[in-house]
Amino acid sequence: MSGGVKAHSRWLPWHALAVFAFLYLPIVTLIVYSFNGEGVGGFPPRHLTLQWYRILFADDAIWAAVFNSLQVALAAMVISLALGIPAALALDRANFPGKGLFRRLVLLPLILPGIITGLSLLMLFREANLKLSLATIILGHGTALISVATTEIFAGLQKLDRAQEEASLDLGATYWQTFWNITIPNLKLPIIGAALLIFTLSMDEIAVSFFLIGRDNTLPLEIWGRLRRGITPEINAISTIIFVFSLIAIVVWYRLRMRAQGKAEIAAELLETN
Amino acid sequence: MFSRAYRAAITVPPLLWVAVFLLVPYALLLCYSFWSVSSFQTIVHSWNWENYRELFRVDAYWQTLLRSMWIAARVMFFSLLLGYPLAYYLSFYAGRRKELLYQMVIIPLWVSYLVRAYAWKTILGSDGVLNTLLQYVHLTQHPLDFLLYSPFAVVLTLTHIYTPFAFLPIYASLEHIPRNLVEASQDLGASPLQTFWRVVFPLSIPGVVAGATFAFVLSLGDFLAPLLLGGPSGIMISNIVVSLFGAAYNWPLGAAISFCMLLLVLALLFLSENLEKKWSFR
């Protein structure tokens, strides 16, 4: 290796450090000012307090919105998995007319600005005379997030060994039995990964919900309503709490994956030595 | 090995659902764009080109579209500028810390988009964190007022949000580059800079194209960051659509603008797919 590689790597770590600082500056600010007695803004932060958390815990509207969002996220997760799993299987193993169009259409909400999907669904519900409510948001999230379920599970299917399913069918199991006893357990990790991702994306979704909202707010829309009225440190507090929960979810997911990977590596070693 | 019944069972439900909840709504968007609003504020189902004519007649519409594209282009540029060297560093130089650093790029994505935009507002405001810090260390006497409610604030916030999106595909494409190609280039006497420009960079172009598309398309359609941080000079095309669907009550005109956006996005996706294919190594 010549000296040039060093020259390369001399400024690269500093660039990386600067990008990380840029990515984390708002998050750190958010958390620090959730404990600031003077409210949001003003440097340096002073009079550390838990006052904003106390106000937050007494705020019924926010907790109602949190509860609504949890309901929406769970229901959307069920819908998008129930359709995303067969969609991924269909893309992997079936040939049908319009397959290319179907694949593009399913993935479109992932890349299309949320406003277009939200408006289009709003027109559908209007034409169908459906009243806007949490149910319409669930339909919206469920539909938009099939894209996530499909990509995650399709990637899992690509790595899957079909021999097990073939053996199961050869030994006389029905398709239904094979699906539940072989295919789904083999896809456990991608399904859990997709479920976690769909859940968090739904909890955070605002562009589609913005147009499909009825009387009950989801958490992002409740926060949005408050932001229009002005800055309040309660928003820092609730965001900090949600961030902590997200971090826990990431660690749990990471552990699950590592454990599965570890098992696979052990299995590979055993096979080699035999 | 899969029977016809099995294939029907996995194909029909998602096909039906996607037809009803995606294909029909996008088609309705097209239909609405040819309808109009009566003076009694009801939608009239008579077909005409009036909305599209209006789009070209009124300067504000296409000027705002151009401004949105200019904002999106800047976001794309800065996201790549931040994301590419970061991905290159992680993939080639980070060593054992690679996995940890990768997770650290992902973690900000778990903080709500809205909350991060709000956090920038609390940083950039006239009595916000940055301005009070600058006065605290006596760099400025008065708050800088160009920080918030400007296109600058929108570009900064969207760059912050879409840098990880640009980073991910670039990192994936860099990780796929066989390392023996890099070694071969060095063994044959190429300098590290030559190796980068002649070997590494061309092989990472599909990732760059994907990341650039993500950043451009997603920021083009954004309406929350401009509403929160943009002020009057930072208005984007989606803000006009939102107002047409709200107070201004002209759904058909809003649908026409949205449909133009949809076409623009589809054209960009088509372009980037072909660019990726052209540059992916065979």
Side-chain angles (χ1 to χ4, degrees):
Chain A
M1 292 271 191
S2 57
V5 175
K6 289 257 152 47
H8 245 321
S9 53
R10 206 179 299 138
W11 66 269
L12 274 173
W14 293 106
H15 179 276
L17 193 69
V19 177
F20 278 122
F22 175 61
L23 289 179
Y24 280 89
L25 173 72
I27 299 171
V28 171
T29 310
L30 189 83
I31 296 172
V32 168
Y33 281 87
S34 78
F35 297 106
N36 186 25
E38 312 279 296
V40 188
F43 191 88
R46 52 184 79 113
H47 310 306
L48 292 188
T49 173
L50 286 173
Q51 172 193 356
W52 307 116
Y53 288 86
R54 269 198 296 275
I55 294 176
L56 176 72
F57 282 107
D59 191 328
D60 292 337
I62 283 219
W63 294 105
V66 169
F67 184 67
N68 288 342
S69 272
L70 287 172
Q71 271 180 296
V72 169
L74 277 176
M77 193 171 91
V78 171
I79 291 179
S80 41
L81 282 177
L83 292 152
I85 295 172
L89 287 168
L91 289 174
D92 188 43
R93 333 181 137 174
N95 278 314
F96 49 92
K99 188 173 172 178
L101 177 72
F102 173 71
R103 188 176 57 89
R104 278 155 214 264
L105 207 55
V106 166
L107 299 185
L108 201 52
L110 205 60
I111 181 77
L112 211 58
I115 182 171
I116 298 178
T117 307
L119 282 178
S120 309
L121 282 165
L122 173 64
M123 292 169 183
L124 176 78
F125 295 141
R126 187 197 150 106
E127 293 299 307
N129 277 324
L130 217 63
K131 216 170 140 234
L132 297 181
S133 65
L134 288 182
T136 48
I137 296 189
I138 290 171
L139 285 174
H141 286 193
T143 305
L145 294 170
I146 295 174
S147 51
V148 175
T150 308
T151 34
E152 291 282 305
I153 291 156
F154 186 78
L157 276 171
Q158 296 286 300
K159 288 182 213 144
L160 204 66
D161 183 7
R162 271 195 206 169
Q164 284 189 23
E165 284 167 282
E166 277 166 25
S168 161
L169 291 170
D170 285 347
L171 292 170
T174 62
Y175 282 108
W176 190 243
Q177 285 171 326
T178 306
F179 178 76
W180 283 111
N181 295 324
I182 310 290
T183 316
I184 292 289
N186 272 334
L187 287 173
K188 199 170 76 190
L189 225 47
I191 291 176
I192 296 176
L196 276 173
L197 204 54
I198 291 165
F199 188 85
T200 44
L201 287 175
S202 167
M203 285 292 288
D204 182 31
E205 211 289 327
I206 182 155
V208 172
S209 322
F210 193 85
F211 296 98
L212 303 179
I213 193 74
R215 218 187 43 221
D216 299 311
N217 269 347
T218 59
L219 182 62
L221 284 164
E222 176 72 29
I223 293 178
W224 175 250
R226 284 166 194 241
L227 288 187
R228 301 307 315 267
R229 275 177 263 143
I231 283 171
T232 115
E234 281 170 82
I235 293 172
N236 295 53
I238 184 79
S239 309
T240 303
I241 293 174
I242 291 174
F243 181 55
V244 171
F245 273 102
S246 307
L247 275 184
I248 294 171
I250 297 173
V251 172
V252 168
W253 163 236
Y254 198 62
R255 282 278 171 83
L256 272 175
R257 227 185 59 192
M258 290 303 269
R259 216 172 56 192
Q261 266 177 4
K263 270 185 195 164
E265 272 158 27
I266 292 167
E269 267 171 39
L270 283 175
L271 286 173
E272 263 171 52
T273 48
N274 285 347
Chain B
M1 71 180 265
F2 301 105
S3 74
R4 183 181 283 189
Y6 178 85
R7 270 179 291 190
I10 56 175
T11 310
V12 174
L15 266 178
L16 276 180
W17 185 283
V18 164
V20 173
F21 289 104
L22 283 177
L23 196 58
V24 170
Y26 292 140
L28 260 177
L29 187 70
L30 180 62
C31 293
Y32 262 82
S33 72
F34 288 106
W35 294 343
S36 54
V37 183
S38 76
S39 45
F40 308 107
Q41 301 256 304
T42 55
I43 310 266
V44 186
H45 296 202
S46 64
W47 302 80
N48 60 72
W49 286 93
E50 203 34 56
N51 297 313
Y52 289 97
R53 251 179 245 133
E54 172 111 359
L55 277 188
F56 287 101
R57 203 170 42 229
V58 181
D59 292 349
Y61 294 135
W62 59 265
Q63 276 171 1
T64 311
L65 181 63
L66 283 183
R67 183 168 53 211
S68 308
M69 289 171 74
W70 174 228
I71 287 178
R74 277 183 284 176
V75 172
M76 177 182 84
F77 174 75
F78 288 119
S79 302
L80 292 178
L81 199 66
L82 296 182
Y84 194 101
L86 182 68
Y88 181 61
Y89 173 69
L90 252 67
S91 185
F92 282 83
Y93 295 99
R96 277 189 303 116
R97 282 169 302 175
K98 191 155 137 176
E99 187 65 28
L100 175 72
L101 292 178
Y102 176 80
Q103 292 300 326
M104 279 183 64
V105 184
I106 309 287
I107 286 173
L109 290 178
W110 291 67
V111 181
S112 160
Y113 154 85
L114 181 61
V115 164
R116 281 184 288 156
Y118 155 77
W120 278 113
K121 186 173 173 153
T122 68
I123 292 172
L124 299 175
S126 61
D127 50 1
V129 179
L130 184 57
N131 268 320
T132 44
L133 170 68
L134 289 175
Q135 287 167 53
Y136 184 74
V137 295
H138 298 288
L139 267 176
T140 55
Q141 257 82 51
H142 306 286
L144 305 172
D145 55 6
F146 65 87
L147 293 176
L148 190 59
Y149 303 122
S150 59
F152 165 79
V154 177
V155 171
L156 181 78
T157 304
L158 291 178
T159 301
H160 172 257
I161 286 162
Y162 293 118
T163 294
F165 284 85
F167 164 87
L168 286 172
I170 295 172
Y171 179 74
S173 69
L174 287 172
E175 284 286 270
H176 277 120
I177 295 176
R179 292 307 191 255
N180 50 18
L181 284 183
V182 180
E183 280 162 25
S185 161
Q186 282 166 351
D187 289 348
L188 292 171
S191 75
L193 213 59
Q194 280 173 322
T195 302
F196 176 76
W197 284 114
R198 298 265 181 92
V199 179
V200 176
F201 185 71
L203 289 172
S204 67
I205 285 178
V208 174
V209 171
T213 312
F214 266 124
F216 186 87
V217 165
L218 291 175
S219 44
L220 180 71
D222 195 84
F223 62 98
L224 295 159
L227 265 180
L228 209 54
L229 307 124
S233 59
I235 290 290
M236 286 173 75
I237 190 71
S238 293
N239 297 112
I240 293 185
V241 176
V242 168
S243 74
L244 285 171
F245 271 81
Y249 199 78
N250 192 342
W251 285 30
L253 185 58
I257 298 179
S258 308
F259 195 76
C260 290
M261 258 161 73
L262 181 67
L263 284 185
L264 183 64
V265 169
L266 290 181
L268 286 171
L269 290 181
F270 178 77
L271 187 73
S272 83
E273 203 173 297
N274 281 309
L275 275 176
E276 272 174 59
K277 258 195 218 130
K278 194 178 154 212
W279 282 97
S280 60
F281 68 111
R282 290 147 285 215

